[in-house]
Amino acid sequence: MLTASFRAGPDFLLIGAKRGGSTSLYFALLEHPSVMPLFPSARLLPKDNHTKGVHYFDSHYSMGDVWYRSHFPAGVRRGGKVVGEGSPYYLFHPLAAERAAKDVPDAKILLVLRDPVERAFSHYRERRRQNAEELETFEEALAAEDERLAGERERIVTEPGYLSYAHEQQSYRAQGEYAPHLRRWMDHFAREQFHVLAAEDFYADPQSACDAVAEFLGLRHAPLPPSVAEPWNAAPSSKLADTTRQSLAEHYAPFNADLKELLGRELPWTRPGLAEHVSGTRGD
């Protein structure tokens, strides 16, 4: 923190989505020779992996800009390289976009999205694995979601420093309503600052996906090691009940249509056959 004034902020932010492949994408990007990890790197600390993000614009904004910049390498060490950080909660958090636009207006914005039905189920299963969700079925959790989230967004906006576990971790259905969350970010950043990719496309061809991200960041293409094909935070697949899948698909249909219009392209999970093959085997 004493040297924060010599540490520029992020060149890019990876804003989500939770259980959408953001961790896999981030660590794939770190394999590029011109992408630096956050400070201090895993090479300097007794930890297994580099830090992905510090949750500044969602959970730790009260720590202040000096604290935030202390996580980035000093400017003199960058030497033409880029560095970024990410939180899967940034996309959904109601204040993150406004805060980021105020503090790092020139940052490029990366977003990786996954079939929202699969994302919601994966999110629930992660909470169950962590013993952080008491409801025993996904259907029970979906039924309880509106009551759990009632008033939470408003409290986050009106009460400085308020942190809502329910809003971040029990919003299984709501976090997949991508379009309004992305529009909020696009209200604060120019369209050319965004690069949005689908998790299904990334997992199908990590090299092509990372090459496109490299171009977006102003970097040359670089070959990825074979290990990139292995997803981070994966877990054994589990079958989602057909009736629940259909209900969620119907719920998400207007949001998917809005997202397609917003991005100007088709999404993989609306292409018959592809989404079920990829989403059911990656990052559950």
Side-chain angles (χ1 to χ4, degrees):
M1 292 179 67
L2 292 175
T3 60
S5 61
F6 300 103
R7 301 176 183 274
D11 297 294
F12 68 88
L13 294 175
L14 179 55
I15 65 171
K18 183 173 179 62
R19 302 305 296 170
S22 61
T23 300
S24 294
L25 175 62
Y26 183 79
F27 284 99
L29 293 177
L30 286 185
E31 297 292 345
H32 194 290
S34 294
V35 179
M36 299 183 70
L38 293 177
F39 177 85
S41 73
R43 293 186 296 270
L44 301 177
L45 288 179
K47 60 180 183 176
D48 293 334
N49 301 303
H50 295 301
T51 300
K52 172 186 170 186
V54 295
H55 285 271
Y56 179 60
F57 296 112
D58 47 29
S59 303
H60 299 311
Y61 196 64
S62 62
M63 298 296 291
D65 182 67
V66 171
W67 178 86
Y68 183 52
R69 290 179 182 272
S70 73
H71 293 87
F72 295 91
V76 294
R77 295 188 59 244
R78 294 196 183 187
K81 297 181 179 181
V82 301
V83 62
E85 64 102 2
S87 162
Y89 188 32
Y90 282 169
L91 177 65
F92 187 57
H93 192 279
L95 297 178
E98 180 182 357
R99 291 168 173 175
K102 173 179 175 292
D103 293 350
V104 291
D106 297 325
K108 294 187 175 182
I109 310 299
L110 291 175
L111 173 60
V112 55
L113 300 176
R114 179 185 184 185
D115 177 346
V117 176
E118 297 291 343
R119 192 223 67 80
F121 189 38
S122 179
H123 185 174
Y124 166 78
R125 293 183 62 237
E126 178 202 51
R127 293 292 86 202
R128 287 290 291 176
R129 289 194 300 273
Q130 298 294 326
N131 296 315
E133 170 57 76
E134 63 184 18
L135 298 179
E136 295 183 358
T137 70
F138 183 42
E139 288 73 20
E140 287 179 291
L142 291 175
E145 184 167 325
D146 287 346
E147 183 177 355
R148 284 171 157 180
L149 298 188
E152 291 300 282
R153 183 186 186 281
E154 292 74 16
R155 288 192 65 183
I156 292 170
V157 172
T158 60
E159 297 182 24
Y162 176 68
L163 303 178
S164 171
Y165 178 84
H167 188 269
E168 180 176 2
Q169 298 293 0
Q170 296 175 326
S171 46
Y172 306 118
R173 180 174 49 237
Q175 288 206 37
E177 298 165 356
Y178 299 133
H181 314 321
L182 180 55
R183 286 186 185 279
R184 180 170 60 248
W185 275 83
M186 287 184 168
D187 285 342
H188 293 282
F189 288 86
R191 295 295 180 98
E192 60 268 20
Q193 288 177 257
F194 288 84
H195 182 79
V196 181
L197 64 157
E200 293 80 1
D201 292 336
F202 168 70
Y203 286 124
D205 189 348
Q207 184 68 63
S208 293
C210 287
D211 285 347
V213 174
E215 291 180 15
F216 171 67
L217 297 176
L219 306 175
R220 61 177 177 81
H221 295 182
L224 297 173
S227 60
V228 167
E230 295 298 322
W232 287 71
N233 299 331
S237 296
S238 180
K239 182 172 175 57
L240 175 62
D242 291 341
T243 54
T244 304
R245 181 184 298 279
Q246 180 62 31
S247 176
L248 281 174
E250 292 172 359
H251 174 81
Y252 286 128
F255 295 101
N256 288 338
D258 192 16
L259 184 63
K260 178 181 176 181
E261 180 180 353
L262 185 61
L263 298 178
R265 70 177 195 267
E266 192 83 19
L267 285 306
W269 51 85
T270 64
R271 304 174 200 157
L274 177 61
E276 290 185 9
H277 172 71
V278 178
S279 293
T281 58
R282 298 287 188 172
D284 288 342

